[in-house]
Amino acid sequence: MESSPRAAARSAEYDQLRVLNLVPSPDSGFYRTQVETLSELNVDGETMPVPGRTDGTDPEENRSPLDYLRFFPQTVRAVEADHDVVHANYGLTAPHALAQRRAPVVLSLWGTDVYGPFGWVSKLCAPLCDAVVVMSEEMGEQLPCDYTVIPHGVDLDLFQPEPQEFAQSALGWDHDAHHVLFPAPTTRDEKDFPRAEQVVDAARTRVDAPIRLETPNGTVSHDQMPVLMNAADALLLTSRYEGSPNVVKEALACNLPVVSTDVGDVAERVSDVSPSAVGSSDAELVDALVTVLDRGERSNGRETVEDLHLERVAERLRSVYDDVVAEADD
C-alpha cells in the first residue's frame, strides 16, 4: 500500500504501537489489508502464524492439535516487553494470547470460530480478554461478555464497478448466459455448495437463458475477484452460518446483486439494496435468484458499504488498541 500525504497526516495523529498478531491464515485478504492499513496509523504489526500448512481460506483446515500445542511456547517466547498488544485473530489463537502476561489481549472473532465446532473455545476465552471484536451483533450475542462490533473493511479502490461486458470478455465468459458466482470453496461443509447447485438447477427451469454456476474454488487471487464480481449476474451464498462475510460486502462494492441465506449480518447489509435478497427456504432463494436474473440489472450496493472503507475500520480497531493499552497503564 503506497504512502500518501493524507496517510502521513493520519499517522502523525497516533502514538506508535507495537502489536503481535496471532493468526491461523496470514494470507487471508482481509487480514493482509488490515495490517497494511493499520500501519498508516502508526501500528507496527508483526504476524505470527500458527504452525502447519493452510490453504489460506479455512483457518481450521490442515492443522492438527499438535500444531496448536507447538504454538503455545512459540507465542510466549515471541511476546517482548515492548509489545503493547497481543491481537488474537480467530478464536483458536485466543488461548495462546492469554498464555502470556506481558501485554493486554484483543480477540477478533471471524464467524466460524463462534458458530463452528470449536466455538466453545472462543466463548470460554472471550471473557478473559481485555477486548473482544466481532463482525456482527448476532455474533456478539453468542458471547458471555462485552464486545465491540467492527466488521472487516472493504478495499473500495480494488472492489469497484466496471463494465460487465469487459469483465466477461476478460474471463472468456459467454455473453448470452447468466453467470451465478459461488465464491466459497465447494468442499467446505458450512458453505453448503450442494444447496447452491439445487437452487441454480431449480432456477434453470424458470429462466430462458442458460445459467452457469461459476466456482473459482480458491483458484483466483483476492486481487482478481473484482473481475469475477463485475462479470457475474448474481452472487449466491448458501452458507449455514457466517459472521459478516466479506465476500458479500465486496460484491456490494461492485454493485453485484446478492442472493443469500439469512446468516450473519447479510440481511442488514442488503436491506436497502436492490436487486438483492436473503431467503430461509430453497423456494425463497430460487425466487430471489430468478428475480435478479430476470431484471438483469446491477444493484445500488456500493452506496451501502461506504462506511466500511478500510481506513475507517482501521481507525476503529486502533481505538480498541488504545483503550486496552490505557487500561493496562492505569
Side-chain angles (χ1 to χ4, degrees), residues 107-152:
L107 169 62
S108 285
L109 299 172
W110 293 359
T112 306
D113 47 358
V114 172
Y115 301 111
F118 297 103
W120 63 272
V121 176
S122 301
K123 294 171 185 177
L124 184 65
C125 292
L128 305 177
C129 298
D130 297 275
V132 179
V133 175
V134 295
M135 303 297 108
S136 66
E137 286 289 348
E138 182 186 64
M139 284 180 62
E141 291 171 356
Q142 305 296 312
L143 303 177
C145 61
D146 293 336
Y147 56 87
T148 301
V149 178
I150 307 179
H152 287 134

Side-chain angles (χ1 to χ4, degrees), residues 29 54 107 156 174 203 234 268 276:
T54 178
L107 169 62
L156 296 178
D174 182 359
E268 177 186 352
S276 285

Side-chain angles (χ1 to χ4, degrees), residues 298-311:
R298 307 307 283 181
S299 79
N300 63 321
R302 187 173 180 84
E303 65 189 42
T304 70
V305 293
E306 291 290 346
D307 63 322
L308 295 177
H309 196 288
L310 291 174
E311 295 174 357

Side-chain angles (χ1 to χ4, degrees), residues 25-108:
S25 302
D27 295 329
S28 297
F30 60 80
Y31 171 75
R32 294 200 313 271
T33 54
Q34 173 181 289
V35 172
E36 291 169 357
T37 310
L38 281 167
S39 70
E40 296 185 353
L41 303 181
N42 263 348
V43 176
D44 178 11
E46 303 174 48
T47 296
M48 186 172 177
V50 178
R53 183 173 59 86
T54 178
D55 65 359
T57 59
D58 185 353
E60 296 172 13
E61 189 173 357
N62 301 325
R63 293 278 171 56
S64 69
L66 180 60
D67 290 327
Y68 279 94
L69 286 174
R70 289 165 50 205
F71 198 44
F72 274 104
Q74 292 178 16
T75 300
V76 173
R77 288 195 301 267
V79 181
E80 300 175 0
D82 59 346
H83 278 114
D84 299 289
V85 175
V86 175
H87 188 168
N89 294 272
Y90 200 77
L92 287 179
T93 66
H96 308 81
L98 291 167
Q100 58 79 38
R101 296 294 184 180
R102 287 185 170 182
V105 174
V106 173
L107 169 62
S108 285

Side-chain angles (χ1 to χ4, degrees), residues 9-10 22 42 53 75 100 144 185 239 243 281 301 324 327 330:
R10 288 200 314 275
L22 310 184
N42 263 348
R53 183 173 59 86
T75 300
Q100 58 79 38
S239 299
S281 67
V324 298
E327 291 176 6
D330 288 343

Side-chain angles (χ1 to χ4, degrees), residues 2-317:
E2 295 183 2
S3 182
S4 66
R6 182 181 175 187
R10 288 200 314 275
S11 179
E13 296 176 3
Y14 295 92
D15 294 330
Q16 186 75 30
L17 285 184
R18 189 177 177 205
V19 176
L20 179 64
N21 289 289
L22 310 184
V23 60
S25 302
D27 295 329
S28 297
F30 60 80
Y31 171 75
R32 294 200 313 271
T33 54
Q34 173 181 289
V35 172
E36 291 169 357
T37 310
L38 281 167
S39 70
E40 296 185 353
L41 303 181
N42 263 348
V43 176
D44 178 11
E46 303 174 48
T47 296
M48 186 172 177
V50 178
R53 183 173 59 86
T54 178
D55 65 359
T57 59
D58 185 353
E60 296 172 13
E61 189 173 357
N62 301 325
R63 293 278 171 56
S64 69
L66 180 60
D67 290 327
Y68 279 94
L69 286 174
R70 289 165 50 205
F71 198 44
F72 274 104
Q74 292 178 16
T75 300
V76 173
R77 288 195 301 267
V79 181
E80 300 175 0
D82 59 346
H83 278 114
D84 299 289
V85 175
V86 175
H87 188 168
N89 294 272
Y90 200 77
L92 287 179
T93 66
H96 308 81
L98 291 167
Q100 58 79 38
R101 296 294 184 180
R102 287 185 170 182
V105 174
V106 173
L107 169 62
S108 285
L109 299 172
W110 293 359
T112 306
D113 47 358
V114 172
Y115 301 111
F118 297 103
W120 63 272
V121 176
S122 301
K123 294 171 185 177
L124 184 65
C125 292
L128 305 177
C129 298
D130 297 275
V132 179
V133 175
V134 295
M135 303 297 108
S136 66
E137 286 289 348
E138 182 186 64
M139 284 180 62
E141 291 171 356
Q142 305 296 312
L143 303 177
C145 61
D146 293 336
Y147 56 87
T148 301
V149 178
I150 307 179
H152 287 134
V154 178
D155 188 342
L156 296 178
D157 296 326
L158 176 63
F159 289 88
Q160 57 180 309
E162 299 290 349
Q164 184 179 32
E165 182 179 354
F166 293 165
Q168 289 184 347
S169 295
L171 296 170
W173 285 7
D174 182 359
H175 296 297
D176 296 323
H178 294 301
H179 299 274
V180 176
L181 179 62
F182 183 82
T186 58
T187 56
R188 287 180 62 175
D189 183 66
E190 75 275 13
K191 302 301 181 181
D192 204 351
F193 178 64
R195 188 177 192 184
E197 291 182 302
Q198 293 170 9
V199 169
V200 170
D201 283 344
R204 286 187 173 115
T205 67
R206 297 169 52 184
V207 176
D208 291 335
I211 301 178
R212 312 280 191 233
L213 182 55
E214 307 292 351
T215 55
N217 218 18
T219 61
V220 177
S221 69
H222 187 247
D223 290 347
Q224 291 300 311
M225 282 301 294
V227 181
L228 275 73
M229 290 181 172
N230 281 300
D233 297 286
L235 181 91
L236 179 60
L237 194 72
T238 50
S239 299
R240 295 187 173 96
Y241 51 81
E242 293 278 358
S244 177
N246 248 43
V247 69
V248 167
K249 293 174 284 188
E250 291 165 349
L252 295 178
C254 295
N255 286 337
L256 174 63
V258 172
V259 174
S260 173
T261 47
D262 189 1
V263 290
D265 64 352
V266 178
E268 177 186 352
R269 289 289 166 200
V270 305
S271 61
D272 296 321
V273 178
S274 180
S276 285
V278 298
S280 298
S281 67
D282 284 2
E284 290 175 343
L285 292 171
V286 174
D287 286 345
L289 183 58
V290 170
T291 297
V292 165
L293 297 181
D294 281 344
R295 286 181 60 173
E297 301 172 359
R298 307 307 283 181
S299 79
N300 63 321
R302 187 173 180 84
E303 65 189 42
T304 70
V305 293
E306 291 290 346
D307 63 322
L308 295 177
H309 196 288
L310 291 174
E311 295 174 357
R312 297 179 189 176
V313 173
E315 287 168 356
R316 295 178 64 192
L317 188 53

